[in-house]
Amino acid sequence: MAARILGLLADPTRLALLRRLGESEADVTTLTECTKASRTSVSQHLARLRLAGLVTTRKEGRRVVYALRHGHLRRLVDEALQVADHQIGQLPPHD
Protein backbone atom coordinates (compact mmCIF):
# COMPACT_ATOMS: atom_id res chain seq x y z
CA MET A 1 0.00 0.00 0.00
CA ALA A 2 2.84 2.40 0.81
CA ALA A 3 4.38 1.83 -2.62
CA ARG A 4 1.01 2.49 -4.25
CA ILE A 5 0.62 5.77 -2.35
CA LEU A 6 4.15 6.86 -3.23
CA GLY A 7 3.45 5.95 -6.86
CA LEU A 8 0.47 8.29 -6.86
CA LEU A 9 2.72 11.05 -5.48
CA ALA A 10 5.16 10.53 -8.37
CA ASP A 11 2.97 12.50 -10.78
CA PRO A 12 3.67 16.27 -10.69
CA THR A 13 0.00 17.24 -11.10
CA ARG A 14 -1.19 14.89 -8.35
CA LEU A 15 1.61 16.09 -6.08
CA ALA A 16 0.55 19.71 -6.70
CA LEU A 17 -3.08 18.82 -6.00
CA LEU A 18 -2.19 17.11 -2.73
CA ARG A 19 0.07 20.00 -1.71
CA ARG A 20 -2.77 22.46 -2.31
CA LEU A 21 -5.32 20.28 -0.51
CA GLY A 22 -2.90 20.13 2.42
CA GLU A 23 -3.56 23.85 2.88
CA SER A 24 -7.36 23.60 2.82
CA GLU A 25 -10.19 21.93 0.98
CA ALA A 26 -10.93 23.17 -2.55
CA ASP A 27 -13.15 22.63 -5.57
CA VAL A 28 -12.05 21.66 -9.08
CA THR A 29 -11.98 25.25 -10.32
CA THR A 30 -9.61 26.32 -7.54
CA LEU A 31 -7.43 23.26 -8.05
CA THR A 32 -7.29 23.84 -11.81
CA GLU A 33 -6.08 27.39 -11.26
CA CYS A 34 -3.32 26.38 -8.87
CA THR A 35 -1.97 23.53 -11.03
CA LYS A 36 -2.19 25.21 -14.44
CA ALA A 37 -3.46 21.85 -15.77
CA SER A 38 -6.66 21.48 -17.77
CA ARG A 39 -9.92 20.96 -15.91
CA THR A 40 -10.27 17.53 -17.50
CA SER A 41 -6.79 16.51 -16.35
CA VAL A 42 -7.39 17.78 -12.81
CA SER A 43 -10.70 15.92 -12.63
CA GLN A 44 -9.06 12.69 -13.78
CA HIS A 45 -6.25 13.01 -11.24
CA LEU A 46 -8.73 13.77 -8.46
CA ALA A 47 -10.73 10.69 -9.44
CA ARG A 48 -7.61 8.53 -9.07
CA LEU A 49 -6.82 10.07 -5.69
CA ARG A 50 -10.41 9.55 -4.55
CA LEU A 51 -10.47 5.93 -5.71
CA ALA A 52 -7.20 5.34 -3.85
CA GLY A 53 -8.80 6.73 -0.68
CA LEU A 54 -6.43 9.68 -0.38
CA VAL A 55 -9.01 12.45 -0.77
CA THR A 56 -12.62 12.84 0.26
CA THR A 57 -15.44 14.76 -1.38
CA ARG A 58 -18.53 16.56 -0.25
CA LYS A 59 -21.20 18.42 -2.15
CA GLU A 60 -21.67 22.12 -1.57
CA GLY A 61 -24.59 23.08 -3.76
CA ARG A 62 -23.50 22.15 -7.27
CA ARG A 63 -19.81 22.16 -6.39
CA VAL A 64 -17.80 19.16 -5.28
CA VAL A 65 -15.26 20.08 -2.62
CA TYR A 66 -12.15 17.92 -2.15
CA ALA A 67 -10.09 17.45 1.02
CA LEU A 68 -7.22 15.26 2.16
CA ARG A 69 -8.43 12.17 3.99
CA HIS A 70 -5.90 12.58 6.83
CA GLY A 71 -2.95 14.62 8.06
CA HIS A 72 -0.44 11.82 7.45
CA LEU A 73 -0.70 12.47 3.74
CA ARG A 74 -0.17 16.20 4.18
CA ARG A 75 2.98 15.52 6.21
CA LEU A 76 4.21 12.99 3.65
CA VAL A 77 3.82 15.52 0.83
CA ASP A 78 5.49 18.24 2.92
CA GLU A 79 8.45 15.97 3.67
CA ALA A 80 8.82 14.95 0.02
CA LEU A 81 8.87 18.60 -1.03
CA GLN A 82 11.44 19.44 1.65
CA VAL A 83 13.69 16.59 0.48
CA ALA A 84 13.41 17.98 -3.06
CA ASP A 85 14.30 21.47 -1.80
CA HIS A 86 17.41 20.04 -0.13
CA GLN A 87 18.42 18.21 -3.32
CA ILE A 88 17.85 21.23 -5.56
CA GLY A 89 19.51 23.66 -3.16
CA GLN A 90 22.30 21.24 -2.31
CA LEU A 91 21.56 21.75 1.38
CA PRO A 92 23.15 19.46 3.99
CA PRO A 93 20.99 16.64 5.35
CA HIS A 94 19.53 16.87 8.86
CA ASP A 95 16.95 15.20 11.08
PDB file of all heavy atoms in Angstrom, residues 16-54:
ATOM      1  N   ALA A  16       1.004  18.322  -6.862  1.00  0.00           N
ATOM      2  CA  ALA A  16       0.554  19.710  -6.701  1.00  0.00           C
ATOM      3  C   ALA A  16      -0.852  19.765  -6.108  1.00  0.00           C
ATOM      4  O   ALA A  16      -1.143  20.612  -5.252  1.00  0.00           O
ATOM      5  CB  ALA A  16       0.592  20.438  -8.046  1.00  0.00           C
ATOM      6  N   LEU A  17      -1.721  18.861  -6.544  1.00  0.00           N
ATOM      7  CA  LEU A  17      -3.080  18.824  -5.997  1.00  0.00           C
ATOM      8  C   LEU A  17      -3.057  18.494  -4.509  1.00  0.00           C
ATOM      9  O   LEU A  17      -3.736  19.142  -3.707  1.00  0.00           O
ATOM     10  CB  LEU A  17      -3.928  17.783  -6.743  1.00  0.00           C
ATOM     11  CG  LEU A  17      -4.282  18.116  -8.178  1.00  0.00           C
ATOM     12  CD1 LEU A  17      -4.889  16.908  -8.868  1.00  0.00           C
ATOM     13  CD2 LEU A  17      -5.240  19.304  -8.237  1.00  0.00           C
ATOM     14  N   LEU A  18      -2.268  17.504  -4.135  1.00  0.00           N
ATOM     15  CA  LEU A  18      -2.188  17.111  -2.729  1.00  0.00           C
ATOM     16  C   LEU A  18      -1.551  18.203  -1.877  1.00  0.00           C
ATOM     17  O   LEU A  18      -1.975  18.448  -0.744  1.00  0.00           O
ATOM     18  CB  LEU A  18      -1.427  15.797  -2.593  1.00  0.00           C
ATOM     19  CG  LEU A  18      -2.146  14.585  -3.180  1.00  0.00           C
ATOM     20  CD1 LEU A  18      -1.218  13.382  -3.201  1.00  0.00           C
ATOM     21  CD2 LEU A  18      -3.421  14.282  -2.423  1.00  0.00           C
ATOM     22  N   ARG A  19      -0.548  18.884  -2.436  1.00  0.00           N
ATOM     23  CA  ARG A  19       0.065  19.999  -1.710  1.00  0.00           C
ATOM     24  C   ARG A  19      -0.979  21.081  -1.441  1.00  0.00           C
ATOM     25  O   ARG A  19      -1.118  21.580  -0.335  1.00  0.00           O
ATOM     26  CB  ARG A  19       1.233  20.597  -2.480  1.00  0.00           C
ATOM     27  CG  ARG A  19       1.950  21.707  -1.696  1.00  0.00           C
ATOM     28  CD  ARG A  19       2.756  22.635  -2.577  1.00  0.00           C
ATOM     29  NE  ARG A  19       2.012  23.214  -3.677  1.00  0.00           N
ATOM     30  CZ  ARG A  19       1.137  24.229  -3.568  1.00  0.00           C
ATOM     31  NH1 ARG A  19       0.864  24.763  -2.394  1.00  0.00           N
ATOM     32  NH2 ARG A  19       0.515  24.716  -4.621  1.00  0.00           N
ATOM     33  N   ARG A  20      -1.738  21.419  -2.463  1.00  0.00           N
ATOM     34  CA  ARG A  20      -2.772  22.460  -2.311  1.00  0.00           C
ATOM     35  C   ARG A  20      -3.856  22.025  -1.337  1.00  0.00           C
ATOM     36  O   ARG A  20      -4.314  22.802  -0.498  1.00  0.00           O
ATOM     37  CB  ARG A  20      -3.359  22.802  -3.682  1.00  0.00           C
ATOM     38  CG  ARG A  20      -4.554  23.746  -3.664  1.00  0.00           C
ATOM     39  CD  ARG A  20      -4.267  25.048  -2.923  1.00  0.00           C
ATOM     40  NE  ARG A  20      -5.442  25.871  -2.843  1.00  0.00           N
ATOM     41  CZ  ARG A  20      -6.416  25.736  -1.932  1.00  0.00           C
ATOM     42  NH1 ARG A  20      -6.360  24.784  -1.020  1.00  0.00           N
ATOM     43  NH2 ARG A  20      -7.449  26.554  -1.933  1.00  0.00           N
ATOM     44  N   LEU A  21      -4.286  20.768  -1.424  1.00  0.00           N
ATOM     45  CA  LEU A  21      -5.316  20.282  -0.511  1.00  0.00           C
ATOM     46  C   LEU A  21      -4.799  20.176   0.920  1.00  0.00           C
ATOM     47  O   LEU A  21      -5.581  20.182   1.863  1.00  0.00           O
ATOM     48  CB  LEU A  21      -5.858  18.939  -0.990  1.00  0.00           C
ATOM     49  CG  LEU A  21      -6.723  19.013  -2.251  1.00  0.00           C
ATOM     50  CD1 LEU A  21      -7.052  17.619  -2.754  1.00  0.00           C
ATOM     51  CD2 LEU A  21      -7.991  19.832  -1.995  1.00  0.00           C
ATOM     52  N   GLY A  22      -3.486  20.114   1.084  1.00  0.00           N
ATOM     53  CA  GLY A  22      -2.897  20.130   2.422  1.00  0.00           C
ATOM     54  C   GLY A  22      -3.089  21.470   3.107  1.00  0.00           C
ATOM     55  O   GLY A  22      -3.053  21.565   4.333  1.00  0.00           O
ATOM     56  N   GLU A  23      -3.315  22.517   2.324  1.00  0.00           N
ATOM     57  CA  GLU A  23      -3.556  23.848   2.883  1.00  0.00           C
ATOM     58  C   GLU A  23      -5.004  23.996   3.337  1.00  0.00           C
ATOM     59  O   GLU A  23      -5.270  24.545   4.396  1.00  0.00           O
ATOM     60  CB  GLU A  23      -3.233  24.919   1.842  1.00  0.00           C
ATOM     61  CG  GLU A  23      -1.773  24.959   1.439  1.00  0.00           C
ATOM     62  CD  GLU A  23      -1.518  25.867   0.241  1.00  0.00           C
ATOM     63  OE1 GLU A  23      -2.468  26.557  -0.215  1.00  0.00           O
ATOM     64  OE2 GLU A  23      -0.380  25.877  -0.236  1.00  0.00           O
ATOM     65  N   SER A  24      -5.933  23.545   2.498  1.00  0.00           N
ATOM     66  CA  SER A  24      -7.364  23.598   2.818  1.00  0.00           C
ATOM     67  C   SER A  24      -8.130  22.889   1.708  1.00  0.00           C
ATOM     68  O   SER A  24      -7.601  22.656   0.622  1.00  0.00           O
ATOM     69  CB  SER A  24      -7.858  25.042   2.952  1.00  0.00           C
ATOM     70  OG  SER A  24      -7.749  25.713   1.707  1.00  0.00           O
ATOM     71  N   GLU A  25      -9.367  22.575   1.995  1.00  0.00           N
ATOM     72  CA  GLU A  25     -10.191  21.935   0.977  1.00  0.00           C
ATOM     73  C   GLU A  25     -10.433  22.899  -0.180  1.00  0.00           C
ATOM     74  O   GLU A  25     -10.306  24.114  -0.019  1.00  0.00           O
ATOM     75  CB  GLU A  25     -11.503  21.445   1.581  1.00  0.00           C
ATOM     76  CG  GLU A  25     -12.355  22.529   2.182  1.00  0.00           C
ATOM     77  CD  GLU A  25     -13.585  21.971   2.874  1.00  0.00           C
ATOM     78  OE1 GLU A  25     -13.628  20.779   3.229  1.00  0.00           O
ATOM     79  OE2 GLU A  25     -14.527  22.757   3.060  1.00  0.00           O
ATOM     80  N   ALA A  26     -10.756  22.326  -1.362  1.00  0.00           N
ATOM     81  CA  ALA A  26     -10.930  23.170  -2.551  1.00  0.00           C
ATOM     82  C   ALA A  26     -11.787  22.445  -3.578  1.00  0.00           C
ATOM     83  O   ALA A  26     -11.883  21.216  -3.577  1.00  0.00           O
ATOM     84  CB  ALA A  26      -9.575  23.517  -3.152  1.00  0.00           C
ATOM     85  N   ASP A  27     -12.371  23.222  -4.476  1.00  0.00           N
ATOM     86  CA  ASP A  27     -13.147  22.635  -5.571  1.00  0.00           C
ATOM     87  C   ASP A  27     -12.273  22.510  -6.815  1.00  0.00           C
ATOM     88  O   ASP A  27     -11.115  22.946  -6.831  1.00  0.00           O
ATOM     89  CB  ASP A  27     -14.408  23.453  -5.857  1.00  0.00           C
ATOM     90  CG  ASP A  27     -14.113  24.872  -6.325  1.00  0.00           C
ATOM     91  OD1 ASP A  27     -12.928  25.227  -6.540  1.00  0.00           O
ATOM     92  OD2 ASP A  27     -15.069  25.644  -6.484  1.00  0.00           O
ATOM     93  N   VAL A  28     -12.818  21.912  -7.864  1.00  0.00           N
ATOM     94  CA  VAL A  28     -12.048  21.657  -9.081  1.00  0.00           C
ATOM     95  C   VAL A  28     -11.568  22.953  -9.726  1.00  0.00           C
ATOM     96  O   VAL A  28     -10.434  23.023 -10.203  1.00  0.00           O
ATOM     97  CB  VAL A  28     -12.871  20.820 -10.091  1.00  0.00           C
ATOM     98  CG1 VAL A  28     -12.140  20.671 -11.409  1.00  0.00           C
ATOM     99  CG2 VAL A  28     -13.180  19.451  -9.518  1.00  0.00           C
ATOM    100  N   THR A  29     -12.381  23.981  -9.707  1.00  0.00           N
ATOM    101  CA  THR A  29     -11.980  25.254 -10.321  1.00  0.00           C
ATOM    102  C   THR A  29     -10.745  25.814  -9.621  1.00  0.00           C
ATOM    103  O   THR A  29      -9.776  26.212 -10.277  1.00  0.00           O
ATOM    104  CB  THR A  29     -13.139  26.271 -10.259  1.00  0.00           C
ATOM    105  OG1 THR A  29     -14.255  25.739 -10.963  1.00  0.00           O
ATOM    106  CG2 THR A  29     -12.731  27.603 -10.867  1.00  0.00           C
ATOM    107  N   THR A  30     -10.757  25.834  -8.312  1.00  0.00           N
ATOM    108  CA  THR A  30      -9.607  26.325  -7.538  1.00  0.00           C
ATOM    109  C   THR A  30      -8.378  25.478  -7.803  1.00  0.00           C
ATOM    110  O   THR A  30      -7.272  26.004  -8.000  1.00  0.00           O
ATOM    111  CB  THR A  30      -9.943  26.322  -6.033  1.00  0.00           C
ATOM    112  OG1 THR A  30     -11.091  27.143  -5.824  1.00  0.00           O
ATOM    113  CG2 THR A  30      -8.778  26.818  -5.207  1.00  0.00           C
ATOM    114  N   LEU A  31      -8.552  24.162  -7.827  1.00  0.00           N
ATOM    115  CA  LEU A  31      -7.426  23.260  -8.046  1.00  0.00           C
ATOM    116  C   LEU A  31      -6.874  23.381  -9.465  1.00  0.00           C
ATOM    117  O   LEU A  31      -5.676  23.274  -9.678  1.00  0.00           O
ATOM    118  CB  LEU A  31      -7.843  21.820  -7.737  1.00  0.00           C
ATOM    119  CG  LEU A  31      -8.180  21.581  -6.260  1.00  0.00           C
ATOM    120  CD1 LEU A  31      -8.843  20.233  -6.077  1.00  0.00           C
ATOM    121  CD2 LEU A  31      -6.937  21.708  -5.400  1.00  0.00           C
ATOM    122  N   THR A  32      -7.737  23.635 -10.432  1.00  0.00           N
ATOM    123  CA  THR A  32      -7.294  23.837 -11.810  1.00  0.00           C
ATOM    124  C   THR A  32      -6.428  25.085 -11.904  1.00  0.00           C
ATOM    125  O   THR A  32      -5.381  25.077 -12.554  1.00  0.00           O
ATOM    126  CB  THR A  32      -8.505  23.940 -12.759  1.00  0.00           C
ATOM    127  OG1 THR A  32      -9.243  22.719 -12.690  1.00  0.00           O
ATOM    128  CG2 THR A  32      -8.073  24.188 -14.188  1.00  0.00           C
ATOM    129  N   GLU A  33      -6.846  26.143 -11.239  1.00  0.00           N
ATOM    130  CA  GLU A  33      -6.083  27.393 -11.260  1.00  0.00           C
ATOM    131  C   GLU A  33      -4.704  27.234 -10.625  1.00  0.00           C
ATOM    132  O   GLU A  33      -3.726  27.789 -11.118  1.00  0.00           O
ATOM    133  CB  GLU A  33      -6.861  28.494 -10.545  1.00  0.00           C
ATOM    134  CG  GLU A  33      -8.102  28.937 -11.285  1.00  0.00           C
ATOM    135  CD  GLU A  33      -9.003  29.830 -10.459  1.00  0.00           C
ATOM    136  OE1 GLU A  33      -8.677  30.120  -9.278  1.00  0.00           O
ATOM    137  OE2 GLU A  33     -10.049  30.239 -10.986  1.00  0.00           O
ATOM    138  N   CYS A  34      -4.607  26.481  -9.567  1.00  0.00           N
ATOM    139  CA  CYS A  34      -3.323  26.383  -8.873  1.00  0.00           C
ATOM    140  C   CYS A  34      -2.360  25.415  -9.556  1.00  0.00           C
ATOM    141  O   CYS A  34      -1.154  25.511  -9.344  1.00  0.00           O
ATOM    142  CB  CYS A  34      -3.514  26.013  -7.408  1.00  0.00           C
ATOM    143  SG  CYS A  34      -3.808  24.275  -7.095  1.00  0.00           S
ATOM    144  N   THR A  35      -2.856  24.493 -10.371  1.00  0.00           N
ATOM    145  CA  THR A  35      -1.968  23.529 -11.029  1.00  0.00           C
ATOM    146  C   THR A  35      -1.608  23.922 -12.453  1.00  0.00           C
ATOM    147  O   THR A  35      -0.672  23.386 -13.010  1.00  0.00           O
ATOM    148  CB  THR A  35      -2.603  22.129 -11.090  1.00  0.00           C
ATOM    149  OG1 THR A  35      -3.804  22.202 -11.850  1.00  0.00           O
ATOM    150  CG2 THR A  35      -2.863  21.575  -9.713  1.00  0.00           C
ATOM    151  N   LYS A  36      -2.386  24.804 -13.046  1.00  0.00           N
ATOM    152  CA  LYS A  36      -2.193  25.214 -14.444  1.00  0.00           C
ATOM    153  C   LYS A  36      -2.459  24.049 -15.416  1.00  0.00           C
ATOM    154  O   LYS A  36      -2.083  24.105 -16.571  1.00  0.00           O
ATOM    155  CB  LYS A  36      -0.788  25.778 -14.691  1.00  0.00           C
ATOM    156  CG  LYS A  36      -0.404  26.906 -13.770  1.00  0.00           C
ATOM    157  CD  LYS A  36      -1.237  28.137 -13.999  1.00  0.00           C
ATOM    158  CE  LYS A  36      -0.681  29.297 -13.219  1.00  0.00           C
ATOM    159  NZ  LYS A  36      -1.610  29.987 -12.412  1.00  0.00           N
ATOM    160  N   ALA A  37      -3.087  22.978 -14.923  1.00  0.00           N
ATOM    161  CA  ALA A  37      -3.464  21.852 -15.771  1.00  0.00           C
ATOM    162  C   ALA A  37      -4.892  22.088 -16.267  1.00  0.00           C
ATOM    163  O   ALA A  37      -5.615  22.940 -15.733  1.00  0.00           O
ATOM    164  CB  ALA A  37      -3.389  20.547 -14.983  1.00  0.00           C
ATOM    165  N   SER A  38      -5.300  21.331 -17.262  1.00  0.00           N
ATOM    166  CA  SER A  38      -6.664  21.477 -17.770  1.00  0.00           C
ATOM    167  C   SER A  38      -7.656  20.944 -16.740  1.00  0.00           C
ATOM    168  O   SER A  38      -7.319  20.107 -15.895  1.00  0.00           O
ATOM    169  CB  SER A  38      -6.829  20.711 -19.079  1.00  0.00           C
ATOM    170  OG  SER A  38      -6.835  19.313 -18.837  1.00  0.00           O
ATOM    171  N   ARG A  39      -8.865  21.423 -16.822  1.00  0.00           N
ATOM    172  CA  ARG A  39      -9.923  20.965 -15.905  1.00  0.00           C
ATOM    173  C   ARG A  39     -10.133  19.454 -16.036  1.00  0.00           C
ATOM    174  O   ARG A  39     -10.312  18.757 -15.039  1.00  0.00           O
ATOM    175  CB  ARG A  39     -11.210  21.739 -16.185  1.00  0.00           C
ATOM    176  CG  ARG A  39     -12.315  21.447 -15.226  1.00  0.00           C
ATOM    177  CD  ARG A  39     -13.543  22.311 -15.542  1.00  0.00           C
ATOM    178  NE  ARG A  39     -14.572  22.124 -14.562  1.00  0.00           N
ATOM    179  CZ  ARG A  39     -14.690  22.804 -13.433  1.00  0.00           C
ATOM    180  NH1 ARG A  39     -13.825  23.746 -13.141  1.00  0.00           N
ATOM    181  NH2 ARG A  39     -15.680  22.554 -12.598  1.00  0.00           N
ATOM    182  N   THR A  40     -10.094  18.964 -17.257  1.00  0.00           N
ATOM    183  CA  THR A  40     -10.266  17.527 -17.499  1.00  0.00           C
ATOM    184  C   THR A  40      -9.160  16.735 -16.816  1.00  0.00           C
ATOM    185  O   THR A  40      -9.421  15.727 -16.150  1.00  0.00           O
ATOM    186  CB  THR A  40     -10.280  17.233 -19.016  1.00  0.00           C
ATOM    187  OG1 THR A  40     -11.338  17.983 -19.616  1.00  0.00           O
ATOM    188  CG2 THR A  40     -10.458  15.764 -19.291  1.00  0.00           C
ATOM    189  N   SER A  41      -7.931  17.190 -16.973  1.00  0.00           N
ATOM    190  CA  SER A  41      -6.792  16.515 -16.355  1.00  0.00           C
ATOM    191  C   SER A  41      -6.908  16.525 -14.834  1.00  0.00           C
ATOM    192  O   SER A  41      -6.699  15.495 -14.170  1.00  0.00           O
ATOM    193  CB  SER A  41      -5.488  17.180 -16.789  1.00  0.00           C
ATOM    194  OG  SER A  41      -4.389  16.596 -16.132  1.00  0.00           O
ATOM    195  N   VAL A  42      -7.243  17.664 -14.263  1.00  0.00           N
ATOM    196  CA  VAL A  42      -7.387  17.775 -12.814  1.00  0.00           C
ATOM    197  C   VAL A  42      -8.484  16.835 -12.325  1.00  0.00           C
ATOM    198  O   VAL A  42      -8.306  16.119 -11.339  1.00  0.00           O
ATOM    199  CB  VAL A  42      -7.663  19.239 -12.395  1.00  0.00           C
ATOM    200  CG1 VAL A  42      -8.112  19.327 -10.943  1.00  0.00           C
ATOM    201  CG2 VAL A  42      -6.427  20.091 -12.623  1.00  0.00           C
ATOM    202  N   SER A  43      -9.600  16.797 -13.016  1.00  0.00           N
ATOM    203  CA  SER A  43     -10.699  15.916 -12.628  1.00  0.00           C
ATOM    204  C   SER A  43     -10.278  14.453 -12.661  1.00  0.00           C
ATOM    205  O   SER A  43     -10.635  13.674 -11.768  1.00  0.00           O
ATOM    206  CB  SER A  43     -11.912  16.130 -13.538  1.00  0.00           C
ATOM    207  OG  SER A  43     -12.458  17.409 -13.326  1.00  0.00           O
ATOM    208  N   GLN A  44      -9.524  14.073 -13.686  1.00  0.00           N
ATOM    209  CA  GLN A  44      -9.062  12.688 -13.782  1.00  0.00           C
ATOM    210  C   GLN A  44      -8.092  12.343 -12.652  1.00  0.00           C
ATOM    211  O   GLN A  44      -8.166  11.263 -12.065  1.00  0.00           O
ATOM    212  CB  GLN A  44      -8.419  12.439 -15.141  1.00  0.00           C
ATOM    213  CG  GLN A  44      -9.427  12.436 -16.269  1.00  0.00           C
ATOM    214  CD  GLN A  44      -8.776  12.387 -17.648  1.00  0.00           C
ATOM    215  OE1 GLN A  44      -7.563  12.536 -17.787  1.00  0.00           O
ATOM    216  NE2 GLN A  44      -9.596  12.190 -18.667  1.00  0.00           N
ATOM    217  N   HIS A  45      -7.186  13.248 -12.338  1.00  0.00           N
ATOM    218  CA  HIS A  45      -6.245  13.015 -11.239  1.00  0.00           C
ATOM    219  C   HIS A  45      -6.983  12.930  -9.907  1.00  0.00           C
ATOM    220  O   HIS A  45      -6.669  12.072  -9.067  1.00  0.00           O
ATOM    221  CB  HIS A  45      -5.181  14.107 -11.187  1.00  0.00           C
ATOM    222  CG  HIS A  45      -4.149  13.984 -12.257  1.00  0.00           C
ATOM    223  ND1 HIS A  45      -3.269  12.928 -12.333  1.00  0.00           N
ATOM    224  CD2 HIS A  45      -3.844  14.796 -13.296  1.00  0.00           C
ATOM    225  CE1 HIS A  45      -2.466  13.089 -13.372  1.00  0.00           C
ATOM    226  NE2 HIS A  45      -2.796  14.221 -13.973  1.00  0.00           N
ATOM    227  N   LEU A  46      -7.956  13.804  -9.699  1.00  0.00           N
ATOM    228  CA  LEU A  46      -8.734  13.769  -8.463  1.00  0.00           C
ATOM    229  C   LEU A  46      -9.509  12.459  -8.344  1.00  0.00           C
ATOM    230  O   LEU A  46      -9.629  11.905  -7.244  1.00  0.00           O
ATOM    231  CB  LEU A  46      -9.685  14.966  -8.394  1.00  0.00           C
ATOM    232  CG  LEU A  46      -9.018  16.312  -8.142  1.00  0.00           C
ATOM    233  CD1 LEU A  46      -9.998  17.451  -8.382  1.00  0.00           C
ATOM    234  CD2 LEU A  46      -8.453  16.375  -6.730  1.00  0.00           C
ATOM    235  N   ALA A  47     -10.016  11.963  -9.451  1.00  0.00           N
ATOM    236  CA  ALA A  47     -10.734  10.686  -9.437  1.00  0.00           C
ATOM    237  C   ALA A  47      -9.805   9.558  -8.989  1.00  0.00           C
ATOM    238  O   ALA A  47     -10.194   8.703  -8.179  1.00  0.00           O
ATOM    239  CB  ALA A  47     -11.324  10.388 -10.808  1.00  0.00           C
ATOM    240  N   ARG A  48      -8.578   9.556  -9.492  1.00  0.00           N
ATOM    241  CA  ARG A  48      -7.608   8.531  -9.068  1.00  0.00           C
ATOM    242  C   ARG A  48      -7.297   8.644  -7.589  1.00  0.00           C
ATOM    243  O   ARG A  48      -7.216   7.636  -6.875  1.00  0.00           O
ATOM    244  CB  ARG A  48      -6.313   8.654  -9.869  1.00  0.00           C
ATOM    245  CG  ARG A  48      -6.454   8.123 -11.286  1.00  0.00           C
ATOM    246  CD  ARG A  48      -5.136   7.969 -11.962  1.00  0.00           C
ATOM    247  NE  ARG A  48      -4.407   6.830 -11.388  1.00  0.00           N
ATOM    248  CZ  ARG A  48      -3.198   6.470 -11.754  1.00  0.00           C
ATOM    249  NH1 ARG A  48      -2.566   7.150 -12.687  1.00  0.00           N
ATOM    250  NH2 ARG A  48      -2.588   5.442 -11.203  1.00  0.00           N
ATOM    251  N   LEU A  49      -7.118   9.870  -7.107  1.00  0.00           N
ATOM    252  CA  LEU A  49      -6.822  10.074  -5.692  1.00  0.00           C
ATOM    253  C   LEU A  49      -8.004   9.667  -4.811  1.00  0.00           C
ATOM    254  O   LEU A  49      -7.829   9.098  -3.737  1.00  0.00           O
ATOM    255  CB  LEU A  49      -6.443  11.540  -5.435  1.00  0.00           C
ATOM    256  CG  LEU A  49      -5.133  12.003  -6.077  1.00  0.00           C
ATOM    257  CD1 LEU A  49      -4.986  13.514  -5.963  1.00  0.00           C
ATOM    258  CD2 LEU A  49      -3.944  11.287  -5.458  1.00  0.00           C
ATOM    259  N   ARG A  50      -9.213   9.937  -5.299  1.00  0.00           N
ATOM    260  CA  ARG A  50     -10.408   9.555  -4.547  1.00  0.00           C
ATOM    261  C   ARG A  50     -10.564   8.039  -4.511  1.00  0.00           C
ATOM    262  O   ARG A  50     -10.816   7.456  -3.455  1.00  0.00           O
ATOM    263  CB  ARG A  50     -11.646  10.202  -5.163  1.00  0.00           C
ATOM    264  CG  ARG A  50     -12.911   9.984  -4.350  1.00  0.00           C
ATOM    265  CD  ARG A  50     -14.117  10.684  -4.964  1.00  0.00           C
ATOM    266  NE  ARG A  50     -14.291  10.410  -6.375  1.00  0.00           N
ATOM    267  CZ  ARG A  50     -14.804   9.279  -6.878  1.00  0.00           C
ATOM    268  NH1 ARG A  50     -15.170   8.308  -6.085  1.00  0.00           N
ATOM    269  NH2 ARG A  50     -14.941   9.129  -8.177  1.00  0.00           N
ATOM    270  N   LEU A  51     -10.365   7.391  -5.653  1.00  0.00           N
ATOM    271  CA  LEU A  51     -10.468   5.930  -5.705  1.00  0.00           C
ATOM    272  C   LEU A  51      -9.408   5.255  -4.834  1.00  0.00           C
ATOM    273  O   LEU A  51      -9.643   4.174  -4.292  1.00  0.00           O
ATOM    274  CB  LEU A  51     -10.361   5.443  -7.149  1.00  0.00           C
ATOM    275  CG  LEU A  51     -11.577   5.720  -8.023  1.00  0.00           C
ATOM    276  CD1 LEU A  51     -11.293   5.354  -9.476  1.00  0.00           C
ATOM    277  CD2 LEU A  51     -12.796   4.973  -7.501  1.00  0.00           C
ATOM    278  N   ALA A  52      -8.264   5.880  -4.696  1.00  0.00           N
ATOM    279  CA  ALA A  52      -7.198   5.344  -3.845  1.00  0.00           C
ATOM    280  C   ALA A  52      -7.451   5.631  -2.366  1.00  0.00           C
ATOM    281  O   ALA A  52      -6.719   5.151  -1.510  1.00  0.00           O
ATOM    282  CB  ALA A  52      -5.850   5.933  -4.265  1.00  0.00           C
ATOM    283  N   GLY A  53      -8.475   6.427  -2.069  1.00  0.00           N
ATOM    284  CA  GLY A  53      -8.804   6.734  -0.684  1.00  0.00           C
ATOM    285  C   GLY A  53      -7.964   7.827  -0.062  1.00  0.00           C
ATOM    286  O   GLY A  53      -7.919   7.967   1.158  1.00  0.00           O
ATOM    287  N   LEU A  54      -7.305   8.626  -0.911  1.00  0.00           N
ATOM    288  CA  LEU A  54      -6.433   9.679  -0.379  1.00  0.00           C
ATOM    289  C   LEU A  54      -7.155  11.004  -0.184  1.00  0.00           C
ATOM    290  O   LEU A  54      -6.725  11.833   0.620  1.00  0.00           O
ATOM    291  CB  LEU A  54      -5.222   9.872  -1.286  1.00  0.00           C
ATOM    292  CG  LEU A  54      -4.344   8.636  -1.490  1.00  0.00           C
ATOM    293  CD1 LEU A  54      -3.148   8.979  -2.344  1.00  0.00           C
ATOM    294  CD2 LEU A  54      -3.922   8.044  -0.155  1.00  0.00           C
TER     295      LEU A  54
END
